[in-house]
Amino acid sequence: MDFDDDDDSDIFASAISTSIRTSSAQEPTESSDQYLKITVTSPQKMGDGMGSYVAYKVETKTNIQLYRKRVFSVNRRFSDFLGLHDKLTEKFLRSGRIIPPAPEKSVIGTTKIKMSGEKSQEQNSGSSEFLERRRAALERFLNRLASHPLFCIDPDVREFLEADMELPKATNTSALSGAGVMRLFNKVGETVNKITYKMDENDSWFEETITHIDCLDSQLRSLNGAVESLTNQRKELASCTGATARSIAVLGHGEPSASLGRALAQLAETLEKVEVVRKAQANSDLYQFGEMIRDYVALIGAIKDVFHERVKVFQNWQHAQIMLNKKREQKARMEQTGRSDKTNQASTEVIEWEAKVERGQEEFDKISTMIRKEVERFETVRVHEFKKQLIQYLEAMLQHQNQLIKHWESFLPEAKAVA
């Protein structure tokens, strides 16, 4: 598959690459004591038709002793990334860890790639953009894992990064499978439970944090919509600029005045350059800023998941407490009625439920403590990352504006020279 179908591909690839290099404030560097740097490159379609898939090259550099080599690479398909996310969720969500979100499945985008063949330049450009955005999202996902002190040394992560073989096919990762549909229904059920169940929270930190996270989620979603609107407007402006350039070029060819004809031709060339700059501006809006916002919307969802897990742990603890009270009442009734044959069994059940209550409270305390640490880490990374990314974005905007000024300044003498 050709990934250079359109001149814009280099622009958006460059913009995404810049965004990824600044996407993690906690990413280790080679100058630090320990580092794990990951790049995802070379998306390549394998096979034909609906049975095809896209494989990505995952390249890793590290000095962590648990890894067998310092530099290595493997090929992984999209479902492998989703499978890794599912494994980490199963292992660590219950303990209060915030699992970095994997890229969302896209039925439409995936189907277009699977069915792509001899298509128009515009259609292939759309497929290339989809693949590039997904590649960038996969790289962000892995580097968030790499920057986490626990996930970077997890056995499943290490196997994913360095096992030079095909991984067992991940289950339940297809958006079109029956299992995928059932998971969607389960998520809807859990969402309803999140909305309807309100925990009697005695910890003010959690009350304030939940309110803050909900507010941040709303603000980020609103900002994401605004950035998408800005991007679309810039793309439309670029398209209109290009159309204007072509119309002026035609007008210049038919102009009998030589000086005015030259000025119109120069104006058309200037507008063509302006079109390129405005396309670059739109790509900066989307890939340097918009992609970060989208990523954080997904991260907020991951934080909400871990808070919901805490609620489930609390529910289990409270259920155990209710059952313990019932068993104690049953034991008391047995003792009052003198049924010694049932009293011993009741006593045993009371002891069992007392142990469950104790384990439930211990699990609740542990997940609460871990969530505090994870959220504090998230906030530290978020503030640093937003600052770094905004500076990068603003520098790009200034560069684009300077380019526009230079283009118009170079045209001004030609306009003044018209007789």
Side-chain angles (χ1 to χ4, degrees):
M1 175 178 284
D2 185 5
F3 293 97
D4 296 316
D5 299 312
D6 192 279
D7 291 339
D8 298 341
S9 61
D10 289 339
I11 297 175
F12 71 70
S14 176
I16 293 184
S17 178
T18 303
S19 175
I20 294 305
R21 286 196 299 270
T22 60
S23 66
S24 177
Q26 298 297 314
E27 182 179 345
T29 61
E30 294 190 26
S31 60
S32 64
D33 294 335
Q34 183 171 287
Y35 65 88
L36 179 63
K37 299 175 65 176
I38 304 169
T39 56
V40 178
T41 62
S42 309
Q44 184 177 3
K45 182 180 175 183
M46 311 295 289
D48 297 307
M50 293 305 293
S52 64
Y53 63 92
V54 177
Y56 301 83
K57 186 176 182 180
V58 180
E59 300 175 295
T60 306
K61 294 181 180 180
T62 184
N63 64 353
I64 299 176
Q65 295 302 314
L66 287 173
Y67 290 88
R68 296 190 296 270
K69 298 179 181 178
R70 303 286 74 89
V71 179
F72 45 90
S73 65
V74 293
N75 290 319
R76 295 288 179 254
R77 56 196 297 173
F78 180 66
S79 60
D80 293 332
F81 290 84
L82 300 184
L84 174 62
H85 179 267
D86 287 347
K87 289 178 182 178
L88 296 176
T89 299
E90 185 178 349
K91 284 197 295 186
F92 296 116
L93 183 63
R94 189 76 173 183
S95 65
R97 296 287 185 179
I98 298 173
I99 315 299
E104 294 181 355
K105 294 186 283 284
S106 173
V107 176
I108 296 175
T110 302
T111 302
K112 285 182 178 179
I113 296 299
K114 288 178 179 291
M115 301 307 295
S116 63
E118 295 297 325
K119 292 190 175 183
S120 68
Q121 184 175 354
E122 182 179 353
Q123 288 173 313
N124 282 327
S125 177
S127 297
S128 297
E129 181 174 346
F130 170 77
L131 285 173
E132 179 61 26
R133 292 183 69 174
R134 172 168 280 186
R135 181 208 64 77
L138 294 172
E139 188 169 292
R140 278 196 300 272
F141 167 62
L142 290 182
N143 277 300
R144 289 196 183 280
L145 294 179
S147 69
H148 195 284
L150 176 63
F151 299 148
C152 70
I153 58 174
D154 177 77
D156 287 317
V157 174
R158 300 204 314 268
E159 179 187 48
F160 180 91
L161 293 177
E162 65 179 354
D164 192 13
M165 62 179 185
E166 273 195 32
L167 298 177
K169 186 171 175 56
T171 58
N172 298 337
T173 57
S174 172
L176 301 175
S177 67
V181 173
M182 288 305 298
R183 288 211 310 171
L184 177 61
F185 279 116
N186 290 336
K187 285 184 177 180
V188 171
E190 285 198 0
T191 301
V192 173
N193 188 32
K194 292 178 189 178
I195 296 172
T196 58
Y197 185 85
K198 299 296 181 183
M199 195 173 89
D200 294 330
E201 187 63 77
N202 296 321
D203 192 323
S204 60
W205 183 89
F206 279 94
E207 288 182 345
E208 294 170 0
T209 302
I210 290 171
T211 301
H212 167 66
I213 291 298
D214 287 339
C215 182
L216 186 60
D217 184 32
S218 176
Q219 292 169 347
L220 286 173
R221 289 180 184 277
S222 177
L223 179 59
N224 182 55
V227 172
E228 287 184 352
S229 178
L230 175 63
T231 302
N232 291 333
Q233 289 179 12
R234 284 205 204 273
K235 287 182 177 179
E236 185 177 356
L237 179 59
S239 177
C240 291
T241 302
T244 303
R246 290 186 290 274
S247 297
I248 290 178
V250 172
L251 180 63
H253 286 308
E255 175 58 45
S257 170
S259 60
L260 181 56
R262 279 197 312 272
L264 289 174
Q266 185 67 33
L267 177 58
E269 291 180 11
T270 302
L271 286 172
E272 288 176 354
K273 295 176 182 178
V274 170
E275 179 189 11
V276 172
V277 175
R278 284 175 174 164
K279 284 182 179 181
Q281 284 182 318
N283 286 322
S284 291
D285 293 334
L286 181 60
Y287 297 117
Q288 286 187 275
F289 192 43
E291 284 294 296
M292 182 189 70
I293 301 303
R294 281 172 53 108
D295 194 35
Y296 266 90
V297 169
L299 273 171
I300 293 296
I303 294 174
K304 288 186 173 183
D305 287 342
V306 81
F307 272 92
H308 178 55
E309 197 67 24
R310 178 174 176 266
V311 171
K312 288 161 64 175
V313 171
F314 179 79
Q315 288 175 318
N316 291 339
W317 173 30
Q318 295 306 300
H319 172 72
Q321 186 64 60
I322 292 171
M323 292 300 298
L324 174 60
N325 293 338
K326 289 181 179 179
K327 295 300 180 181
R328 283 173 174 170
E329 291 173 1
Q330 290 177 1
K331 178 185 175 184
R333 286 198 299 270
M334 297 299 177
E335 290 174 343
Q336 288 175 358
T337 57
R339 298 182 61 180
S340 57
D341 57 325
K342 297 289 186 179
T343 301
N344 290 337
Q345 181 181 350
S347 298
T348 301
E349 291 178 348
V350 167
I351 293 172
E352 290 175 353
W353 282 104
E354 284 176 343
K356 290 180 181 180
V357 169
E358 185 177 348
R359 287 197 300 271
Q361 182 175 3
E362 182 180 352
E363 185 177 9
F364 180 75
D365 291 340
K366 283 183 177 179
I367 193 173
S368 298
T369 300
M370 184 56 67
I371 287 175
R372 280 176 176 268
K373 293 180 181 179
E374 289 284 288
V375 170
E376 288 170 1
R377 180 180 179 276
F378 165 79
E379 286 294 341
T380 300
V381 172
R382 182 178 68 87
V383 171
H384 187 89
E385 183 172 305
F386 263 69
K387 175 185 175 181
K388 194 172 184 179
Q389 195 71 14
L390 278 173
I391 292 174
Q392 188 83 19
Y393 173 65
L394 292 174
E395 287 175 344
M397 289 294 100
L398 286 171
Q399 182 180 2
H400 294 145
Q401 292 303 318
N402 287 332
Q403 288 175 344
L404 290 175
I405 292 171
K406 288 179 180 178
H407 292 328
W408 288 119
E409 285 180 340
S410 65
F411 168 70
L412 187 59
E414 188 69 40
K416 289 180 177 180
V418 175

